[in-house]
């Protein structure tokens, strides 16, 4: 009975409907598979048979809503999920590989920074949203106040989404330290994106035994085509130490935050003051 159930769960249920898109034929595929004893319905669109480079090019041409493409090496088929999202469940079962279209350093239009960032630490490598995606929200890794060495913000992670408002699961966080817990998410209103930020920082004092670096961060959200904006911060909107500085510049109209680079103070060892995240820069993309 168990074997029969497993066979039914893993069975591919195809419902084909063809329509022509450019020179390729699209075919809708619906199937149910099992992952960790969970059943999910996955909808894929088969673009057609082609090479990996051609498949990747399809993704680039649809970068407004495409995060990843699934390429089945056995059949040479290029497959898109809803809103261009790939499904890792399908990849695990089919043996497919993924063609990512993540941005690279240099593929941005502006760098946002603030003047009150902490002085300690080293800049980690930058990370970017996937091509065609921009920051729609964020969360932080925070060590809450306690009796000994406090560090407050240890990492900032931006949540990425497409211009069409779809969320495909990609994110970017650059460097981080090991202390604290992740907060919940703070998300921009629908169809808006993060475009500027302000950082709360405790100024480093050599005489203090417990400096904390960055304590909180907040953003402004805006749609692509106008200058109206909304304040966005995770509750309560501030940390226990230091103060907010001036707002950064904003991303130009028709662009939004797409990447992050953080300045992290390395672990100083037992008995030495740690400050974790001290400063952050954000990148704008059009």
């Amino acid at each position: 009975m168990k074997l029969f159930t497993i066979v039914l769960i893993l069975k591919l249920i195809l419902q084909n409907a063809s329509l022509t898109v450019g020179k390729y034929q699209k075919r809708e595929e619906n199937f149910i598979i099992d992952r960790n004893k969970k059943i999910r319905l996955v909808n894929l669109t088969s673009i057609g048979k082609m090479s990996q480079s051609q498949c990747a090019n399809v993704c680039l041409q649809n970068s407004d809503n495409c995060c990843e493409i699934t390429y089945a090496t056995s059949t040479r088929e290029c497959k898109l999920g809803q809103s261009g999202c790939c499904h890792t469940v399908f990849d695990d079962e089919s043996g497919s590989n993924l063609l990512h279209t993540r941005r690279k350093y240099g593929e941005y239009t502006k760098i946002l920074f603030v003047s009150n960032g902490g002085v300690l630490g080293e800049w980690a490598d930058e990370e970017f949203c996937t091509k065609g995606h921009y920051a729609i929200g964020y969360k932080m890794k925070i060590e809450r106040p306690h009796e000994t060495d406090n560090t407050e913000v240890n990492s900032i992670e931006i949540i990425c989404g497409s211009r069409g408002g779809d969320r495909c699961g990609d994110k970017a966080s650059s460097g981080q330290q090991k202390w604290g817990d992740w907060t919940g998410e703070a998300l921009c209103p629908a169809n808006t994106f993060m475009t500027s930020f302000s950082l709360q920082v405790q100024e480093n004092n050599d005489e203090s035994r417990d400096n904390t670096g960055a304590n909180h961060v907040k953003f402004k959200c805006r749609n692509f085509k106008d200058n109206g904006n909304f304040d966005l911060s995770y509750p309560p909107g501030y940390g226990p130490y230091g103060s907010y500085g001036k707002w950064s510049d904003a991303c130009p109209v028709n662009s939004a935050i797409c990447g992050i680079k953080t300045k992290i103070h390395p672990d100083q060892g037992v008995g030495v003051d740690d400050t974790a995240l001290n400063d952050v820069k954000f990148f704008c993309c059009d």
Side-chain angles (χ1 to χ4, degrees):
M1 182 64 182
K2 289 184 178 180
L3 179 60
F4 178 75
T5 303
I6 294 172
V7 170
L8 283 179
I9 292 174
L10 294 179
K11 183 179 179 181
L12 203 60
I13 305 172
L14 295 177
Q15 297 174 353
N16 298 330
S18 296
L19 86 116
T20 302
V21 178
K23 64 179 181 179
Y24 299 118
Q25 199 82 358
K26 292 179 70 175
R27 185 180 72 252
E28 296 294 331
E29 299 180 352
N30 302 306
F31 59 94
I32 299 174
I33 54 177
D34 176 50
R35 185 189 188 189
N36 298 327
K37 298 182 180 180
K38 294 181 180 179
I39 300 175
R40 292 184 54 188
L41 176 65
V42 181
N43 300 313
L44 290 179
T45 300
S46 178
I47 305 299
K49 292 188 177 182
M50 61 191 74
S51 67
Q52 284 189 356
S53 60
Q54 289 173 320
C55 187
N57 191 49
V58 170
C59 189
L60 292 175
Q61 291 174 355
N62 295 276
S63 60
D64 277 359
N65 67 355
C66 179
C67 65
E68 294 171 345
I69 272 186
T70 303
Y71 185 75
T73 53
S74 58
T75 62
R76 299 184 70 248
E77 281 191 288
C78 186
K79 299 174 184 286
L80 279 175
Q82 291 179 338
S83 303
C85 293
C86 72
H87 295 271
T88 54
V89 177
F90 173 77
D91 303 322
D92 293 341
E93 294 295 330
S94 69
S96 303
N97 65 321
L98 301 180
L99 295 176
H100 297 268
T101 57
R102 184 163 293 277
R103 290 186 178 94
K104 298 178 181 179
Y105 186 78
E107 296 180 336
Y108 59 87
T109 57
K110 187 172 184 176
I111 300 177
L112 306 181
F113 57 88
V114 290
S115 60
N116 65 322
V119 298
L120 301 177
E122 302 171 357
W123 288 102
D125 291 338
E126 59 282 334
E127 287 190 6
F128 291 89
C129 295
T130 307
K131 280 183 181 291
H133 284 190
Y134 310 86
I136 60 171
Y138 76 106
K139 61 182 182 178
M140 298 172 291
K141 186 181 182 185
I142 296 180
E143 182 185 35
R144 301 298 179 184
H146 53 93
E147 293 182 359
T148 55
D149 188 9
N150 292 281
T151 59
E152 293 304 313
V153 177
N154 275 239
S155 183
I156 300 169
E157 179 178 279
I158 57 176
I159 301 159
C160 308
S162 74
R163 288 184 64 173
D166 299 306
R167 180 172 172 176
C168 289
D170 53 323
K171 55 192 177 182
S173 63
S174 188
Q176 65 172 279
Q177 259 297 5
K178 62 185 181 181
W179 301 288
D181 300 300
W182 286 100
T183 66
E185 299 175 347
L187 298 174
C188 293
N191 298 316
T192 64
F193 307 87
M194 298 188 330
T195 53
S196 63
F197 78 104
S198 180
L199 190 65
Q200 182 187 348
V201 179
Q202 181 187 29
E203 185 176 355
N204 190 65
N205 183 350
D206 291 336
E207 296 180 1
S208 173
R209 295 183 179 180
D210 191 10
N211 294 288
T212 58
N215 273 237
H216 225 274
V217 64
K218 57 185 178 182
F219 295 87
K220 289 185 182 293
C221 302
R222 188 202 69 214
N223 65 36
F224 258 61
K225 297 182 179 181
D226 63 41
N227 290 313
N229 55 59
F230 310 85
D231 288 347
L232 176 69
S233 66
Y234 186 81
Y238 56 87
Y241 311 109
S243 58
Y244 275 104
K246 294 182 179 180
W247 284 91
S248 72
D249 287 345
C251 293
V253 174
N254 294 317
S255 68
I257 288 174
C258 61
I260 179 174
K261 186 179 181 74
T262 51
K263 188 177 185 182
I264 304 295
H265 192 203
D267 186 351
Q268 300 299 292
V270 178
V272 184
D273 186 27
D274 289 293
T275 60
L277 192 150
N278 270 242
D279 200 357
V280 59
K281 300 176 182 177
F282 293 96
F283 301 88
C284 302
C285 294
D286 54 18

